[in-house]
Amino acid sequence: MMERQTMDIKTKSKTLSLISLACTALLFGCGSDGKDGEDGPNGEIGLSVGQANELVTTITTAAITDGAIIVEFRVENANGVGITDFDTYPGIDTLGMGIAKLMPQSGKGYKTPQWVNYMNKMVAPVTANIPAGYEDKAGEQIQPTIETNCKQDCVEKVSAGLYRYTFAFNLNDATAMGDLDLTYDDSLTHRITMEMRADGDTNKLVNSHFDFLPASGEQVSGLDTRTVEFLENSCLRCHSDDYDHAWAPKLIMHGTKRYAIENCQMCHTSYAGDPETGAPIDMGYMVHQIHRAKYLMVGYRGSVHDYSKVTFPADMYDCRACHQEGDNRPADAFNFKHHRALACGSCHSDSTDPATIKADMHTKYQPDHSCGTCHADQGDEGAGHHVTDAIAKDNARSSYKAALVPGSVSLEAGLLTFSVAVNDTSLTTAAMSPNADKRINYSNIYFGFGNDIDFTSGKQNYKLHELTPTSGSDGIYTYSQATSLTPDMMQAATAVITTHLCVDRDTLTAVDCGTGSDEANNPAVLPGELVAFNLNGDSSIMARRVVISNETCANCHDDKYLGKFGTKMKHDGNYTNFEGECQMCHNPTYKSNQTAQDHIDFKVRIHAHHANKRTKQQGDDATKVVSFPEHYGNCAVCHDKGQLTLSDLATVPATLTVDTQGNETEYSPIAATCVSCHGEKGSLLAHIKSNGGAASDPRGTYTAGSETCATCHSEGKALGVDAVHPVKW
């Protein structure tokens, strides 16, 4: 076979040589004109829409001439390769274009400019869709819109990846609507928006915008727009962007076409409303009311959107929960602090009428506040007083620290002796003991014994603000207190201190409780450092495994354990370190009379709580639910990469439960976690038992360490928890 292949190659080579010689002879025989042939046109480089896994569009220029709007934009794949057939590809199922101008607002003090859409329609209520009790509120409302009927008929290809869209709508044809000023002014900032999708695929869905000055055609800076929030920095701190998932809650609206705040602003304007309920659909009013669980409106084809069960996990009074300022934030993020009737009225008034809101605000606040509190000049704080409560608490949190002194704990004759280190950088002298510091209204040290067995060896706490130290100076204070605990001297344990400091909104500092000129309703809650120790004074003690971080919890809960208006975390903010303090009580053996999904064990409670799998969510009221704004199967919402290894569980005891008949049962550690979300399905329980775990088995069945789930389901494995769940790191 090898010889034959060699012969074929040689024969082929000889044949080609003969052909070459023959051609050369022909050329010499016929003569030559001495000229090279002209190059043919270059082939088009790019991809079809159908070949791209995702699409990226960028509006590059926009121009308005005699009312005609012409926009050029690029369409590429994620790697920047141009799309060659956007104008003809049959799978373009969505293409909408909008245009609006940014109008200055008049009145006392600076008011943020508002978008006015050039395309609007007057919408009458559908009688059959009016919710009960809203009959007197229903009526015609203006609703802005975008151009969606032209699609590719309005698109012209300029070159590979570059296209031109000419609006079918002409600004000169704008329909008069109420008292809206729809005249064209080329000195005002204008915004072009685009929404585009191909093949019904959200990976090929794009929302784009372009803010420009028509007089020059130049794109304007962020300060000349009306963008006070970025989707990524604000909304997606809590909400999901898993737009592909069939049932996960996500911020993508109107037929899964719109998600960008800049595009939403074009229709959710200050003058837009819902005809069936009379509710404003103004962006500020609507979002505030939704998060307050006070919003109801009727959408497309009579669909009722009732947000009365929304649970907001942060301090409603701290605008910074959504309005983020600082690096990588919108240039005009500060503008949320300026007065606007609907935005302010969404919290401060029951009316949606600007005149009534004004009267309500004046009645409530004029006697005690100057006009400048709300009607501030541009650049002044205005509604900045809303965040002083939170800023004062942040200042206290960053300056005050209290923690156990490692190696100071001993147990003898029923007395637990320990020392606490207190430091406050806001003071010029050494910090006082908690009982002597009049700024403190609560200080609690919590001890949990048995780090490797989830604190099942016992717990002990002392209220330091009520105790006089046995000795101490220069910020180090020693205590000796009675305890009934008798743990192993060598056993690893953890201690943590939570402190409450009274703060003042005028000075933004901690103050003696009851003396502040504008003291916050609730104190600042300061989570302390988790300190590992044992009673033998060893310095190499390992802390409990950390599988959750305070920072990820703060993405939604914002470290606001006690809100200004009563919003508060469980236990009134007295236990606040989610990484290891909560587990001291919420351990596998505490409250052993509960079913698997209602158990108090932290790994069960948190999963079941956020997934709405508990029969009792808030206290004893089973009707109260948690409106978790993410896909609860996305472990990365709460867990950092590397925290899902299922390691360090060999010594953790079973979670002690009862079944629906009240029989005493138990679940092995990983099994308890799985069941907290998936429920007690027969197939799941059988799978757990066949792999060394316990699942609703009689007490005493499980042998610590016999559970083998991590073999297949550890993070990074082919069937790891991060692979079988929709985890988005």
Side-chain angles (χ1 to χ4, degrees), residues 465-484:
H465 61 285
E466 297 177 353
L467 299 179
T468 301
T470 56
S471 63
S473 62
D474 296 329
I476 306 294
Y477 300 97
T478 299
Y479 300 82
S480 189
Q481 294 295 312
T483 181
S484 60

Side-chain angles (χ1 to χ4, degrees), residues 167-183:
F167 277 69
F169 170 79
N170 188 290
L171 293 185
N172 295 326
D173 299 329
T175 303
M177 199 74 61
D179 59 358
L180 289 181
D181 178 2
L182 299 178
T183 57

Side-chain angles (χ1 to χ4, degrees), residues 135-200:
E135 292 81 4
D136 61 330
K137 298 178 178 64
E140 285 191 337
Q141 293 282 351
I142 300 174
Q143 290 189 350
T145 187
I146 60 175
E147 179 174 290
T148 59
N149 57 347
C150 194
K151 294 187 174 67
Q152 288 158 295
D153 290 342
C154 286
V155 176
E156 172 191 358
K157 184 176 180 179
V158 179
S159 61
L162 182 62
Y163 297 88
R164 180 179 297 120
Y165 184 97
T166 302
F167 277 69
F169 170 79
N170 188 290
L171 293 185
N172 295 326
D173 299 329
T175 303
M177 199 74 61
D179 59 358
L180 289 181
D181 178 2
L182 299 178
T183 57
Y184 171 60
D185 184 343
D186 66 2
S187 68
L188 296 178
T189 294
H190 281 59
R191 173 174 289 174
I192 300 288
T193 59
M194 169 191 282
E195 61 182 46
M196 178 272 291
R197 184 180 62 195
D199 302 326

Side-chain angles (χ1 to χ4, degrees), residues 22-36:
C23 290
T24 303
L26 286 171
L27 285 171
F28 278 117
C30 298
S32 171
D33 62 6
K35 297 180 179 179
D36 292 334

Side-chain angles (χ1 to χ4, degrees), residues 171-231:
L171 293 185
N172 295 326
D173 299 329
T175 303
M177 199 74 61
D179 59 358
L180 289 181
D181 178 2
L182 299 178
T183 57
Y184 171 60
D185 184 343
D186 66 2
S187 68
L188 296 178
T189 294
H190 281 59
R191 173 174 289 174
I192 300 288
T193 59
M194 169 191 282
E195 61 182 46
M196 178 272 291
R197 184 180 62 195
D199 302 326
D201 184 354
T202 53
N203 289 315
K204 297 181 183 181
L205 170 69
V206 175
N207 284 190
S208 299
H209 74 284
F210 185 75
D211 295 337
F212 72 109
L213 196 64
S216 64
E218 296 296 319
Q219 191 169 5
V220 299
S221 70
L223 288 170
D224 295 316
T225 70
R226 177 65 175 87
T227 304
V228 296
E229 294 170 327
F230 284 158
L231 181 73

Side-chain angles (χ1 to χ4, degrees), residues 400-432:
Y400 187 93
K401 300 288 184 293
L404 176 76
V405 176
S408 69
V409 189
S410 63
L411 178 61
E412 187 175 354
L415 290 178
L416 190 67
T417 300
F418 58 92
S419 297
V420 171
V422 183
N423 182 50
D424 191 342
T425 58
S426 70
L427 303 177
T428 57
T429 58
M432 294 175 283

